């Protein structure tokens, strides 16, 4: 028996590329004795031979259909897409809530119990309208006590100020009318000393003229020098006395400014305490303004103090200079007296004695003159001291009453707060308090339901894509699939934690977007509605599309229909051919906006209705060939280059 074995590639039954083979055995020639004796086995071999031939025919047929590049190539109809004209958008999709543009949670820091409630949910209220009344008994009693204390303090301070003013007025009157005893005594002494000095000079001159009958030129020069030295000393001592007074004045001015600054600082401290005790933003703003005014005053006085210190230092220098001038003038006078006295003693002792008497009288006159000036300066200094006493009494009164006045202002503010009013005009959407309760948390929520917006919370990865003014489309849970339009009005410049946003929603239904459950970073964002539908309700859920890019009436294809090679993009276009066949051609295109499904493509050879292959990587071998479009499985799951998914 002769056996012939043929190896048939399994590619006829499997995918191209398999190296497995199937052996089919045929028989011919002379019958074997064993076969002739076993008819059953012969019949079996015949059946195998027929079956193998049938399998061979089927495998060849399949090979002809599926062979890449062969005449039997074809495209699955499900892998063909049509170029369509669409309005393509790219958006950030996010959930949020309808909210009122004006939303106010009404709170109270008072510990007084609620006495009356004037409104209920749904009531329309205007800004400033009373919503509730708290018990004001305690704060009213505290105000009375502080007012009594203030009156007592003011009365005491008033008496002190009046006493200081009276003393000042008396001293000023005495000085102006020449009734100051110290000044008058000094004036009498100065007058007497002046008369004595003039008499001594006259006696000296008579004796000199009768006894000496004139002086020589040297003696006349010495006499003139002596008289000049006397005048210089008197002027120097007067200048010294004036410098001392100037220093005293400068010291007083500096003290007065410093005391005034301290008084202003006391008031600032009291106001700062008052500000910490109030949570009313309007009251805080008023206090801030008062503090800033006082601080400006203090700054001005501090600058004045710097000038006063400069003046005081200058006065100190002037006193020292005047003191040195007095010492120098005394030395000059002593020298002139000795020289002239010696000259006269050589001529006539009586004339010299007369000159000595002149010297003694001059010193007495000089001292009396300086004493008068000192008495006058002392009187003025005393008057200034009494003026300072008036200022000190006024400052002390202001300081003693400042604390009480601050406490009174705080209590009066607390009294005003016993009437709870609405900060805005709108609708009461929540009443969270009962009569007899102590205020805690938001007592009322008032919202302007005529001005609704959409609130959403953007994630970090989306916030850079969103800018104010971009268009938005949204749907609400109330209005089902009906779509509405709007624009982004606000994107928060600062991030918050998601749980912080949740806390904001606790104030009422319209507080904002749905509370987040994680600690992710979010950016609160507001959207203005183009039209406020009467069906909208604060707190309703919203599904919003924030449109970041848009191309209207653009030619689009499925994203998977575009092949990218380097910096170029292509599609496989199906051009009509003979019969029901098409010709596969590669076409370079320019791509544009895309979303998860479609992409904009541009080419002069494209038009609406042009057919392209959805999965071109599966049909690359078809480029330039004419093939039919058939009903069959998609090649989507097939390896690249394998059609029909096989």
């Amino acid at each position: 028996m002769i056996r012939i074995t043929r190896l048939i590639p399994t590619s006829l039954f499997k995918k191209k590329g398999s190296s497995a083979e199937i052996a089919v055995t045929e028989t011919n020639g002379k019958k074997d004795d064993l076969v002739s004796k076993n008819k059953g086995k012969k019949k079996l071999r015949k059946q195998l031979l027929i079956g193998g031939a049938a399998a061979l025919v089927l495998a060849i047929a399949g090979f002809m259909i599926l062979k890449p590049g062969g005449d039997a190539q074809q495209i699955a109809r499900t892998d063909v897409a049509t170029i369509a004209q669409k309005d393509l958008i790219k958006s950030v999709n996010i959930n949020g809530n309808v909210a009122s543009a004006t939303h106010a949670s009404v709170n109270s820091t008072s510990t007084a119990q609620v006495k009356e409630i004037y409104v209920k949910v749904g009531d329309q209220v205007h800004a400033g309208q009373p919503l509730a009344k708290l018990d004001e008994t305690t704060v009213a009693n505290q105000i009375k006590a502080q007012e009594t204390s203030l009156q007592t303090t003011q009365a005491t301070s008033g008496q002190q100020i009046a006493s200081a003013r009276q003393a000042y007025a008396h001293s000023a009157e005495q000085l102006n009318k020449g009734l100051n005893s110290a000044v008058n005594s000094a004036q009498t002494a100065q007058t007497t000393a002046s008369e004595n000095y003039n008499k001594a000079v006259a006696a000296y001159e008579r004796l000199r003229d009768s006894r000496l009958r004139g002086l020589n030129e040297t003696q006349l020069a010495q006499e003139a020098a002596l008289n000049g030295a006397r005048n210089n000393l008197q002027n120097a001592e007067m200048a010294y006395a004036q410098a001392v007074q100037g220093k005293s004045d400068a010291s007083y001015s500096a003290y007065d400014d410093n005391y005034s600054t301290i008084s202003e600082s006391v008031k600032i401290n009291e106001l700062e305490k008052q500000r910490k005790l109030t949570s009313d933003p309007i009251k805080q703003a008023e206090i801030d303004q008062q503090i800033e005014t006082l601080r400006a005053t203090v700054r001005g006085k501090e600058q004045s103090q710097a000038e006063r210190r400069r003046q005081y230092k200058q006065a100190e220098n002037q006193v020292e200079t005047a003191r040195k001038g007095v010492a120098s003038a005394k030395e000059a006078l002593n020298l002139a007296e000795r020289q002239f006295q010696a000259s006269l003693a050589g001529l006539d002792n009586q004339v010299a004695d007369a000159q000595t008497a002149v010297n003694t009288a001059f010193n007495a006159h000089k001292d009396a003159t300086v004493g008068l000036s000192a008495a006058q300066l002392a009187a003025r200094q005393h008057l200034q001291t009494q003026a300072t006493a008036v200022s000190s009494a006024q400052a002390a009164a202001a300081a003693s009453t400042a604390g009480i006045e601050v406490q009174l202002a705080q209590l009066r503010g607390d009294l005003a707060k016993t009437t709870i009013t609405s900060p805005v005009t709108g609708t009461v959407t929540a009443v969270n308090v009962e009569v007899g309760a102590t205020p805690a948390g938001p007592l009322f929520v008032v919202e302007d339901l005529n001005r609704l917006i959409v609130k959403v919370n953007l994630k970090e990865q989306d916030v850079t894509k969103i800018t104010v003014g971009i268009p938005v489309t949204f749907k609400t849970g109330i209005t089902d699939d009906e779509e509405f339009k709007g624009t982004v009005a606000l994107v928060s410049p600062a991030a918050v934690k998601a749980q912080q946003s949740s806390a904001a929603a606790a104030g009422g239904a319209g507080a904002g977007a749905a509370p987040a459950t994680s600690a992710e970073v979010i950016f609160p964002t507001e959207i203005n509605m183009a039209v406020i539908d009467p069906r909208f309700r604060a707190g309703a859920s919203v599904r919003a599309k924030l449109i970041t890019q848009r191309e209207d009436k653009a030619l689009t294809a499925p994203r998977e229909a575009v092949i990218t090679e380097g910096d170029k993009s292509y599609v496989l276009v199906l051009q009509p051919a003979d019969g029901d066949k098409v010709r596969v051609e590669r076409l370079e295109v320019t791509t544009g906006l895309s979303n998860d499904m479609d992409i904009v493509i541009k080419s002069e050879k494209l038009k609406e209705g042009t057919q392209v292959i959805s999965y071109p990587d599966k049909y690359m071998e078809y480029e330039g060939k004419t093939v039919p479009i058939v009903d069959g499985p998609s090649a989507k799951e097939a390896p690249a280059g394998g059609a029909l998914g096989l």
Side-chain angles (χ1 to χ4, degrees):
M1 181 181 65
I2 300 174
R3 297 187 180 188
I4 302 174
T5 300
R6 296 182 180 177
L7 298 179
I8 302 175
T10 58
S11 59
L12 302 178
F13 303 94
K14 298 184 178 180
K15 296 180 181 179
K16 179 181 177 183
S18 175
S19 60
E21 296 178 332
I22 298 176
V24 179
T25 303
E26 296 181 353
T27 63
N28 80 9
K30 195 173 182 179
K31 294 182 179 179
D32 188 271
D33 291 339
L34 183 59
V35 175
S36 64
K37 292 179 181 180
N38 194 340
K39 294 182 179 179
K41 290 183 178 180
K42 179 178 179 181
K43 184 176 181 181
L44 177 60
R45 286 195 299 274
K46 184 175 181 181
Q47 290 174 347
L48 289 173
L49 181 60
I50 295 172
L56 178 61
V57 172
L58 290 173
I60 293 171
F63 176 73
M64 293 302 293
I65 293 174
L66 302 178
K67 179 181 177 184
D71 293 337
Q73 288 178 332
Q74 53 195 5
I75 300 172
R77 195 176 307 279
T78 55
D79 293 342
V80 177
T82 301
I83 301 297
Q85 190 178 74
K86 295 181 179 179
D87 295 339
L88 197 63
I89 65 171
K90 197 167 186 178
S91 63
V92 172
N93 300 328
I94 192 168
N95 293 330
N97 291 88
V98 175
S100 62
T102 302
H103 171 93
S105 294
V106 184
N107 300 273
S108 174
T109 57
S110 176
T111 57
Q113 292 183 338
V114 177
K115 188 176 180 180
E116 296 179 84
I117 297 175
Y118 303 135
V119 296
K120 62 183 182 299
V121 173
D123 285 353
Q124 301 292 316
V125 297
H126 57 79
Q129 179 176 331
L131 304 178
K133 181 68 176 179
L134 306 182
D135 188 349
E136 61 186 23
T137 304
T138 300
V139 68
N141 290 336
Q142 291 174 339
I143 289 174
K144 287 182 180 179
Q146 290 296 332
E147 286 176 340
T148 300
S149 177
L150 179 62
Q151 290 173 356
T152 301
T153 301
Q154 287 175 334
T156 302
S157 299
Q159 291 174 356
Q160 294 172 345
I161 293 171
S163 177
R165 284 176 173 169
Q166 184 177 1
Y168 170 79
H170 176 73
S171 297
E173 182 180 17
Q174 292 291 97
L175 184 63
N176 292 334
K177 291 183 177 181
L179 301 177
N180 185 285
S181 59
V183 173
N184 291 342
S185 296
Q187 181 67 59
T188 301
Q190 194 273 342
T191 301
T192 301
S194 179
E195 290 175 353
N196 291 336
Y197 172 67
N198 291 332
K199 290 178 181 179
V201 170
Y204 159 74
E205 289 178 347
R206 285 194 303 271
L207 185 60
R208 181 197 64 188
D209 291 342
S210 64
R211 298 292 294 273
L212 300 180
R213 297 179 181 178
L215 300 175
N216 60 37
E217 292 183 0
T218 300
Q219 292 167 334
L220 289 174
Q222 290 175 337
E223 184 179 46
L226 176 59
N227 291 331
R230 288 170 178 167
N231 291 333
N232 288 341
L233 176 58
Q234 181 168 314
N235 291 337
E237 291 197 350
M238 291 293 291
Y240 176 74
Q242 291 173 353
V244 170
Q245 177 63 29
K247 178 181 176 181
S248 178
D249 290 345
S251 176
Y252 161 77
S253 298
Y255 167 80
D256 189 49
D257 280 348
N258 185 59
Y259 198 94
S260 178
T261 300
I262 293 174
S263 176
E264 303 296 342
S265 298
V266 169
K267 294 179 182 178
I268 289 173
N269 291 336
E270 293 297 335
L271 286 170
E272 287 176 340
K273 292 178 183 178
Q274 179 184 352
R275 193 189 189 288
K276 291 179 180 179
L277 295 174
T278 181
S279 60
D280 183 356
I282 297 177
K283 185 62 177 177
Q284 287 177 341
E286 292 175 354
I287 295 174
D288 288 341
Q289 182 60 45
Q290 294 175 22
I291 290 174
E292 182 54 35
T293 300
L294 288 172
R295 284 176 176 166
T297 302
V298 169
R299 286 193 295 270
K301 290 183 178 179
E302 286 175 345
Q303 293 175 354
S304 176
Q305 284 177 341
E307 175 62 20
R308 298 293 189 192
R309 286 191 293 270
R310 187 192 67 78
Q311 292 174 352
Y312 180 77
K313 185 64 177 177
Q314 184 178 12
E316 280 188 327
N317 294 336
Q318 289 173 346
V319 169
E320 180 62 20
T321 300
R323 186 189 63 78
K324 292 179 180 179
V326 169
S328 177
K330 283 182 178 180
E331 290 179 1
L333 177 59
N334 290 335
L335 177 61
E337 285 179 345
R338 288 195 301 270
Q339 290 176 343
F340 189 55
Q341 195 70 24
S343 176
L344 290 177
L347 297 175
D348 191 299
N349 287 333
Q350 289 185 348
V351 174
D353 292 341
Q355 180 58 39
T356 300
V358 170
N359 292 339
T360 302
F362 167 76
N363 287 328
H365 172 262
K366 176 212 21 124
D367 292 342
T369 301
V370 173
L372 175 60
S373 177
Q376 292 171 336
L377 293 175
R380 287 199 294 270
Q381 179 64 49
H382 179 67
L383 192 62
Q384 288 181 343
T385 300
Q386 290 180 317
T388 300
V390 174
S391 298
S392 298
Q394 291 173 331
S400 62
T401 59
I404 301 175
E405 288 174 341
V406 167
Q407 292 178 15
L408 262 177
Q410 176 64 39
L411 289 171
R412 286 166 180 157
D414 292 342
L415 181 63
K417 291 177 184 176
T418 59
T419 300
I420 308 297
T421 59
S422 176
V424 297
T425 297
T427 302
V428 178
T429 58
V431 177
N432 303 319
V433 69
E434 297 178 352
V435 172
T438 300
L443 307 182
F444 303 90
V445 177
V446 181
E447 302 181 74
D448 184 358
L449 301 182
N450 294 321
R451 295 184 61 245
L452 298 177
I453 59 175
V454 173
K455 289 187 176 181
V456 298
N457 292 324
L458 290 177
K459 296 181 179 179
E460 283 184 287
Q461 60 266 33
D462 294 328
V463 69
T464 57
K465 306 172 187 175
I466 306 303
T467 57
V468 172
I470 68 171
V472 179
T473 61
F474 65 92
K475 299 177 182 179
T476 72
I478 294 176
T479 53
D480 296 326
D481 290 332
E482 188 173 353
E483 189 172 79
F484 300 89
K485 295 181 179 180
T487 55
V488 173
L490 171 69
V491 179
S492 174
V496 298
K497 295 292 185 181
Q499 59 264 39
Q500 292 174 328
S501 178
S502 297
T517 58
S518 66
E520 65 179 340
V521 172
I522 58 172
F523 292 82
T525 300
E526 296 181 0
I527 298 167
N528 283 340
M529 302 176 179
V531 175
I532 299 178
D533 193 286
R535 293 171 292 173
F536 291 163
R537 293 291 183 272
S541 61
V542 170
R543 303 179 303 280
K545 286 185 178 181
L546 283 64
I547 301 171
T548 57
Q549 290 179 279
R550 175 183 201 105
E551 286 197 41
D552 294 333
K553 297 181 180 180
L555 295 180
T556 63
R559 287 186 60 170
E560 59 268 20
V562 178
I563 311 165
T564 300
E565 295 179 357
D567 59 351
K568 295 184 178 181
S569 298
Y570 304 90
V571 292
L572 292 183
V573 177
L574 303 181
Q575 300 289 1
D578 297 336
D580 59 353
K581 294 184 178 183
V582 292
R583 181 175 177 81
V584 181
E585 295 182 356
R586 178 188 289 232
L587 177 64
E588 183 177 350
V589 295
T590 300
T591 59
L593 182 64
S594 65
N595 57 22
D596 293 338
M597 298 181 61
D598 298 317
I599 186 170
V600 173
I601 58 175
K602 299 175 183 179
S603 172
E604 294 181 355
K605 297 181 180 180
L606 281 178
K607 62 181 180 179
E608 188 176 12
T610 300
Q611 291 185 320
V612 295
I613 295 179
S614 296
Y615 308 104
D617 59 321
K618 311 299 182 183
Y619 293 95
M620 295 301 293
E621 296 181 1
Y622 290 14
E623 183 181 347
K625 297 180 181 179
T626 301
V627 294
I629 298 175
V630 300
D631 295 326
S634 170
K636 180 178 181 181
E637 303 302 329
L644 296 182
L646 297 176

